[in-house]
């Protein structure tokens, strides 16, 4: 980590931005689209094309920002990728080469950041863009930026950690410094449900050079988010807010915070610890000039390494060391004949049911092991990891001895995984540590080497010490190592428990590294194993065990865990214990093979939902199944989503499961199914905007609630929307926009609908909108998320006497 030194005079850039970090605050420029609109950019026209058609305008904008004091100029390439440029007649390399050249010409000593924004697509399994295809799209752009002479790469406005990971992997291939910023809502949640600690864990694991927030809000709103970011982040933090919140005035988008108020708020955040500051939508050179004037002489606040051992999923981070962590062991074929057969049959739903059941039972992390002699682990393991992550929001432990299967799984994993395992063998460390360095992760270190498992605690400690030292040579800190001192069954030697526990204490006290054990190994070969397991588990916890691989379905093991946490003070006010054992204790989760139709839908299990629907049709009427099982399940999922206890990926997978069940039911209903459709609703992304993530999510949910959705696609002119609404007598239109430059087209579409079809109602959504802004452009309803769209449709058609 750079050491904070004396401030460098304004305008002096030392060689390489990484050398400059921490010596003084650095300043990005502001918004590009805002100034392009002022220079006549029509709503919906691709801003990146102006690098070719109006390069002088781009040069002048960069020059104004440099004159204002910006140290880093962002290229006009936010959407310069193969997906967004499709049909433009120009390649990404052509656009990017021109953009970087213009910025470098205007830089005058400033650095040029190759700007990479999102593709506008959801990645599989939620969307239709494959992860490796996303990496290829971003790689083409990043390599073009490097070839053109960019000094660094800025990945910004990412609302999905998975897409962000694809972009980071592509950018890291260039060898340039990589910065990454995400966009979050007021609660600190990304579009796909991830929170800030999870995003930080992922990005720090991938070894970006700086990370932070941009867009979404102004600096006042970000004051609530920045402390959370700084609390868990050990890397330099970036902040590029908007100029407040947008509103419409005389058909133009304006923002509610001026330069002085903007810079005053940013000063507070700089003093709190933000190292790199700039602006996004609505900010102009006046904002950057005010920011630099107010903040240039503030010394960067030293960054303290948080020394946290943390893994993450797309949704949440799990921190080791605060209280014992439970790793569910049930997705591991050892001793499990049903799971072995499911793996042979490629029965993913069995694995998903096991995952859901373990989460409901209280596991914090899920072990995923698909190793069987007859299984192609290199193909099946990454597939299983991807499928499990689509329905479970817990972090996963990738469990394999095959380095190729390990890398394939780590690469597509959405988060910072736990890796099981590395050991003291030279070949093991040489295979595993480069993967941990490249993709990020916390690795379980087994205390065995070429000579096997030492019989003494001292022998196991020596192996652990060697592993930790070797990891450091790869740049992997001891906080990313968890040592497993190996449990051997006491039926083969009664001293085995004592040796394991002594080695565990030595590792914790002398090496300062966290520990993990596969607890149930202690009882192999003995009757009533659960008694031995629970007693040994308690002994290990008392000796400082940090993580345990256990069966969360074992009541004795879970009783031991909750009692220990309450007695040791790790369960604040005994709240977890009370919640688990109170009179209102929830019914136990069903076994993996016993899911009802509603359970399959809420769990997001497509094949189980289809099978359950098929079974119910033998004894129940189709409409009864829909009304008693499917709709209540969707409502329950919707409520959990709104409460923040269930996230977008799970919401969409539940919708897909319901869709599978509907298809089964509809096939049995024949023509009657079509007559049971509810009202028609038009959805469209407005003219000039090619982002259709939000629209597609809304479509899936509305269809599952029985509405007949007419999807007009993206980049839809106002006249097309009106013509379709008139033709089909549509009473509700949903419009989506992600870019500030296309909101004017949304307003035009609403205006034309009001003129031609006054009775038609309009709901709108998108990252650039607020309820007030939506009202100003004439919308009837602002949908903050997909479920809000469903509720509005239900209310509208119910009041109109429809079937909803």
């Amino acid at each position: 980590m750079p050491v904070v030194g004396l401030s460098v005079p304004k305008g002096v850039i030392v060689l390489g931005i990484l050398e400059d970090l921490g010596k003084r605050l650095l300043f990005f420029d502001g918004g590009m689209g805002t100034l392009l609109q002022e220079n006549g950019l029509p709503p919906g026209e691709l801003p990146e094309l102006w690098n070719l058609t109006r390069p002088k305008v781009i040069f002048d904008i960069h020059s104004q920002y440099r004159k204002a004091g910006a140290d880093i100029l962002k290229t006009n390439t936010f959407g310069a990728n193969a997906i967004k440029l499709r049909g433009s007649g120009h390649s990404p390399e052509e656009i990017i080469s021109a953009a970087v050249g213009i910025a470098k010409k205007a830089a005058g000593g400033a650095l040029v950041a190759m700007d990479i924004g999102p593709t506008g697509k959801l990645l599989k399994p939620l969307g239709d863009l494959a992860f490796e295809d996303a990496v290829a799209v971003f790689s083409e752009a990043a390599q073009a930026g490097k070839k053109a002479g960019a000094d660094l790469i800025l990945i910004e406005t990412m609302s999905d950690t998975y897409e962000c990971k694809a972009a980071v992997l592509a950018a890291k291939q260039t060898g340039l410094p990589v910065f990454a910023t995400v966009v979050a809502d007021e609660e600190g949640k990304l579009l796909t449900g991830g929170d800030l600690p999870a995003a930080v864990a992922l990005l720090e694991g991938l070894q970006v050079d700086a990370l932070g927030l941009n867009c979404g809000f102004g600096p006042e709103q970000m004051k609530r988010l920045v402390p959370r970011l700084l609390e868990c982040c050990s890397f330099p933090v970036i902040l590029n807010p908007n100029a407040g919140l947008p509103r419409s005035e005389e058909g133009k988008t304006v923002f509610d915070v001026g330069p002085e108020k903007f810079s005053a708020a940013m000063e507070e955040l700089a003093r709190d610890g933000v190292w790199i500051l700039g602006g996004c939508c609505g900010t102009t050179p006046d904002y950057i000039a005010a920011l630099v004037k107010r903040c240039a002489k503030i010394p960067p606040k030293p960054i303290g390494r948080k020394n946290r051992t943390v893994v993450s999923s797309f949704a949440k981070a799990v921190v080791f060391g605060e209280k014992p962590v439970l790793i569910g062991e049930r997705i591991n074929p050892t001793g499990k004949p049903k799971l072995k057969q499911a793996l042979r049959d490629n029965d993913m739903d069995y694995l998903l049911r096991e995952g859901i059941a373990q989460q409901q039972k209280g596991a914090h992390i899920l072990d995923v092991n698909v190793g069987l002699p007859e299984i192609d682990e290199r193909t099946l393991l990454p597939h299983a990891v991807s499928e499990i992550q689509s329905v479970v929001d817990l972090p996963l432990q990738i469990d394999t001895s095959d380095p190729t299967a390990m890398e394939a799984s780590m690469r597509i994993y959405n988060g910072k995984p736990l890796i099981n395992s590395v050991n003291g063998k030279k070949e093991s460390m040489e295979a595993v540590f480069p993967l941990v360095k490249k993709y990020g992760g916390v690795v379980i270190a087994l205390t065995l080497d070429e000579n096997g498992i030492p019989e003494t605690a001292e022998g196991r400690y020596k192996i652990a010490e060697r592993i930790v030292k070797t990891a450091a040579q790869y740049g992997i800190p001891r906080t990313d190592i968890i040592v497993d001192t190996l449990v051997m069954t006491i039926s083969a030697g009664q001293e085995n428990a004592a040796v394991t526990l002594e080695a565990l204490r030595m590792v914790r006290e002398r090496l300062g590294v966290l520990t993990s054990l596969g607890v149930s190994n202690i009882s192999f070969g003995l009757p009533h194993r659960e008694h031995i397991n629970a007693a040994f588990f308690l002994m290990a916890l008392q000796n400082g065990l940090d993580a345990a691989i256990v069966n969360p379905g074992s009541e004795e093991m879970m009783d031991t865990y909750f009692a220990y946490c309450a007695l040791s003070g790790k369960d604040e006010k005994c709240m977890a214990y009370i919640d688990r054992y109170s009179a209102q204790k929830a019914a136990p989760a069903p076994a993996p093979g016993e899911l009802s139709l509603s359970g399959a839908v809420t769990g997001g299990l497509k094949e189980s939902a289809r099978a359950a629907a098929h079974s119910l049709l033998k004894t129940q009427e189709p409409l009864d199944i829909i009304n008693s099982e499917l709709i209540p399940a969707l409502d329950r999922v919707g409520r959990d989503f709104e409460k923040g206890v269930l996230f977008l990926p799970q919401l969409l997978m539940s919708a897909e499961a319901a869709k599978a069940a509907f298809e089964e039911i509809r096939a049995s209903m024949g023509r009657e199914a079509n007559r049971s459709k509810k009202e028609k609703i038009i959805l469209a992304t407005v003219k000039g905007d090619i982002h259709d993530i939000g629209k597609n999510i809304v479509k899936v949910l509305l269809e599952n609630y029985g509405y007949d959705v007419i999807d007009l696609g993206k980049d839809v002119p106002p006249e097309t929307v009106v013509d379709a609404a008139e033709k089909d007598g549509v009473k509700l239109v949903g419009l989506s926009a992600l870019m500030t430059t296309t909101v004017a087209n949304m307003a035009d579409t609403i205006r034309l609908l009001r003129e031609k079809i006054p009775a038609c109602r309009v709901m709108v959504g998108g990252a650039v909108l607020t309820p007030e802004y939506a009202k100003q452009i004439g919308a009837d309803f602002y949908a903050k998320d997909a479920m809000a769209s469903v509720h509005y449709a239900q209310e509208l058609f119910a009041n109109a006497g429809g079937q909803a």
Side-chain angles (χ1 to χ4, degrees):
M1 189 61 60
V3 178
V4 175
L6 297 176
S7 63
V8 177
K10 176 182 168 184
V12 177
I13 302 294
V14 299
L15 292 176
I17 191 169
L18 300 185
E19 288 84 352
D20 220 14
L21 281 174
K23 296 177 180 176
R24 65 184 181 92
L25 296 183
L26 296 178
F27 300 95
F28 269 112
D29 57 11
M32 174 64 71
T34 301
L35 295 184
L36 290 180
Q37 286 178 305
E38 290 180 2
N39 280 276
L41 178 71
E45 182 174 332
L46 292 175
E48 294 78 16
L49 297 183
W50 278 37
N51 294 307
L52 303 176
T53 61
R54 300 189 65 181
K56 187 178 184 305
V57 174
I58 306 301
F59 174 83
D60 289 343
I61 291 172
H62 286 318
S63 297
Q64 290 175 52
Y65 278 124
R66 180 58 184 139
K67 185 178 179 181
D71 299 308
I72 311 169
L73 303 179
K74 302 189 291 283
T75 56
N76 181 33
T77 54
F78 181 80
N81 62 65
I83 292 175
K84 290 186 176 181
L85 291 177
R86 189 175 294 139
S88 71
H90 300 282
S91 69
E93 184 170 3
E94 181 185 9
I95 297 287
I96 291 166
S97 178
V100 174
I102 296 168
K104 288 183 73 69
K105 184 178 178 182
L111 298 173
V112 172
M114 163 65 191
D115 191 6
I116 294 180
T119 62
K121 295 283 188 181
L122 272 178
L123 273 62
K124 292 182 177 179
L126 306 179
D128 57 5
L129 181 62
F131 180 79
E132 291 300 341
D133 290 342
V135 173
V137 166
F138 289 126
S139 183
E140 180 184 22
Q143 293 294 343
K146 179 183 180 180
K147 182 179 178 181
D151 299 297
L152 68 143
I153 293 176
L154 171 66
I155 298 161
E156 65 169 343
T157 323
M158 287 290 172
S159 59
D160 176 8
T161 54
Y162 204 29
E163 185 176 25
C164 190
K165 177 174 181 175
V168 170
L169 289 177
K172 295 284 283 187
Q173 293 172 355
T174 66
L176 294 174
V178 177
F179 292 3
T181 58
V182 298
V183 57
D185 64 17
E186 290 179 325
E187 302 302 318
K189 295 285 188 179
L190 280 65
L191 171 69
T192 48
D195 60 16
L196 293 181
V200 168
L202 168 69
L203 292 172
E204 289 192 347
L206 291 171
Q207 294 289 302
V208 299
D209 297 292
L211 59 91
L213 296 166
N214 81 294
C215 205
F217 304 108
E220 286 292 338
Q221 291 79 15
M222 286 192 177
K223 284 181 182 179
R224 296 193 296 272
L225 303 182
V226 170
R228 300 186 214 172
L229 191 63
L230 294 170
E231 182 181 3
C232 60
C233 188
S234 298
F235 284 32
V237 169
I238 307 165
L239 191 63
N240 288 331
N242 292 343
L245 298 174
R247 67 178 189 276
S248 179
E249 284 187 3
E250 299 179 356
K252 292 181 63 177
T253 300
V254 298
F255 292 81
D256 64 358
V257 173
E260 290 306 315
K261 188 176 179 182
F262 178 89
S263 62
M266 293 290 276
E267 179 184 0
E268 293 182 42
L269 296 167
R271 294 189 185 280
D272 286 341
V274 176
W275 277 17
I276 309 166
L277 306 98
C280 200
C281 301
T283 59
T284 65
D286 289 342
Y287 285 78
I288 303 306
L291 174 64
V292 173
K293 180 180 179 181
R294 185 181 284 266
C295 299
K297 294 183 180 180
I298 298 173
K301 186 176 181 179
I303 298 173
R305 185 165 185 86
K306 305 309 182 291
N307 291 319
R308 303 194 322 158
T309 298
V310 57
V311 297
S312 67
S313 65
F314 71 89
K316 63 180 66 172
V318 171
V319 180
F320 293 82
E322 296 177 350
K323 72 177 188 177
V325 171
L326 301 179
I327 304 168
E329 67 179 9
R330 299 302 298 169
I331 307 178
N332 185 321
T334 303
K336 303 179 186 70
K338 289 184 179 179
L339 178 58
K340 288 180 179 179
Q341 191 58 49
L343 292 173
R344 295 185 187 104
D345 297 339
N346 197 30
D347 181 3
M348 278 294 121
D349 261 31
Y350 186 92
L351 274 68
L352 302 185
R353 292 195 299 271
E354 285 283 9
I356 292 170
Q358 290 183 95
Q359 180 173 25
Q360 292 174 337
K361 288 290 189 178
H364 305 127
I365 297 171
L366 301 183
D367 180 70
V368 182
N369 183 318
V370 299
L372 287 177
E374 65 270 36
I375 293 291
D376 179 7
E377 191 177 1
R378 299 177 180 185
T379 299
L380 186 57
L381 183 59
H383 178 55
V385 165
S386 179
E387 289 291 312
I388 293 168
Q389 278 208 298
S390 70
V391 299
V392 175
D393 60 25
L394 300 180
L396 303 183
Q397 174 171 273
I398 297 172
D399 188 353
T400 178
S401 58
D402 185 329
T404 302
M406 184 181 289
E407 178 169 19
S409 302
M410 292 177 73
R411 184 173 176 85
I412 59 90
Y413 181 78
N414 189 0
K416 181 182 179 184
L418 185 60
I419 304 301
N420 193 4
S421 57
V422 72
N423 60 54
K425 296 178 182 179
K426 186 173 182 289
E427 62 179 357
S428 174
M429 292 187 283
E430 288 178 345
V432 174
F433 284 149
L435 301 181
V436 175
K437 180 65 175 175
K438 181 177 181 179
Y439 297 109
V442 173
V443 61
I444 302 291
L446 307 181
T447 52
L448 63 89
D449 61 12
E450 290 82 357
N451 298 314
I453 302 173
E455 295 182 359
T456 66
E458 184 68 28
R460 297 183 196 183
Y461 171 81
K462 289 294 185 183
I463 293 175
E465 186 178 45
R466 186 167 72 249
I467 292 172
V468 170
K469 288 181 178 179
T470 305
Q473 295 171 9
Y474 286 86
I476 300 168
R478 65 183 57 214
T479 50
D480 281 342
I481 304 289
I482 296 177
V483 172
D484 185 332
T485 54
L486 297 174
V487 176
M488 309 293 288
T489 178
I490 55 172
S491 64
Q494 285 199 285
E495 73 286 353
N496 283 339
V499 170
T500 295
L501 296 178
E502 176 62 20
L504 186 147
R505 283 194 300 273
M506 294 170 68
V507 167
R508 286 291 270 121
E509 295 171 5
R510 289 165 51 181
L511 197 55
V513 176
L514 301 180
T515 58
S516 173
L517 291 175
V519 176
S520 61
N521 293 343
I522 198 69
S523 62
F524 280 142
L526 295 172
H528 295 291
R529 295 179 58 193
E530 62 274 11
H531 303 318
I532 296 290
N533 293 344
F536 179 68
F537 185 27
L538 179 58
M539 294 171 69
L541 290 170
Q542 290 172 324
N543 280 274
L545 181 65
D546 298 292
I549 302 175
V550 300
N551 175 11
S554 166
E555 287 298 319
E556 287 197 55
M557 295 296 281
M558 298 304 286
D559 290 345
T560 298
Y561 174 79
F562 281 97
Y564 168 79
C565 289
L567 290 165
S568 63
K570 298 181 184 298
D571 178 6
E572 187 174 358
K573 298 181 180 179
C574 301
M575 292 307 298
Y577 184 89
I578 293 169
D579 181 63
R580 180 175 177 84
Y581 298 105
S582 65
Q584 290 77 35
K585 180 180 174 183
E594 299 174 1
L595 283 179
S596 64
L597 175 55
S598 61
V601 170
T602 55
L605 304 174
K606 289 184 286 187
E607 294 308 314
S608 293
R610 193 189 309 275
H614 180 79
S615 178
L616 286 174
L617 283 167
K618 298 174 182 178
T619 58
Q620 296 185 37
E621 291 297 317
L623 287 178
D624 290 339
I625 298 171
I626 292 172
N627 292 326
S628 65
E629 292 273 351
L630 283 176
I631 297 302
L634 284 171
D635 287 341
R636 185 161 56 253
V637 169
R639 287 193 299 271
D640 285 346
F641 175 73
E642 290 169 336
K643 291 176 184 176
V645 298
L646 179 143
F647 305 106
L648 181 62
Q650 297 152 303
L651 178 71
L652 292 181
M653 295 307 294
S654 291
E656 288 298 316
K659 183 178 179 180
F662 270 124
E663 289 171 352
E664 189 72 23
I665 294 169
R666 195 169 288 139
S668 73
M669 296 172 70
R671 295 179 182 175
E672 183 63 28
N674 294 325
R675 290 199 294 270
S676 69
K677 279 272 191 181
K678 294 184 180 179
E679 297 278 356
K680 293 181 178 179
I681 300 174
I682 284 177
L683 295 181
T685 301
V686 299
K687 181 180 178 181
D689 205 318
I690 59 172
H691 299 85
D692 58 359
I693 291 177
K695 172 185 67 65
N696 292 342
I697 294 168
V698 172
K699 176 184 177 181
V700 169
L701 291 185
L702 287 172
E703 286 181 336
N704 276 303
Y705 275 85
Y707 295 105
D708 188 358
V709 177
I710 303 169
D711 184 0
L712 299 181
K714 55 194 177 185
D715 190 17
V716 182
E719 296 78 13
T720 302
V721 176
V722 172
D723 290 346
E726 285 184 320
K727 176 185 175 182
D728 290 296
V730 173
K731 299 174 184 176
L732 177 60
V733 169
L735 301 176
S736 173
L738 186 68
M739 302 186 297
T740 55
T741 55
T742 60
V743 176
N745 288 334
M746 179 180 280
D748 289 343
T749 305
I750 295 172
R751 197 176 302 115
L752 192 59
L753 281 167
R754 293 282 181 260
E755 178 184 330
K756 299 291 186 179
I757 320 173
C760 183
R761 292 290 161 267
V762 183
M763 60 181 179
V764 298
V768 296
L769 297 174
T770 63
E772 295 74 22
Y773 198 1
K775 186 176 181 180
Q776 288 168 356
I777 62 175
D780 297 291
F781 181 74
Y782 163 75
K784 65 181 179 68
D785 55 41
M787 281 308 304
S789 301
V790 172
H791 295 327
Y792 180 67
Q794 290 174 321
E795 180 182 353
L796 175 67
F797 293 124
N799 291 339
Q803 299 179 51

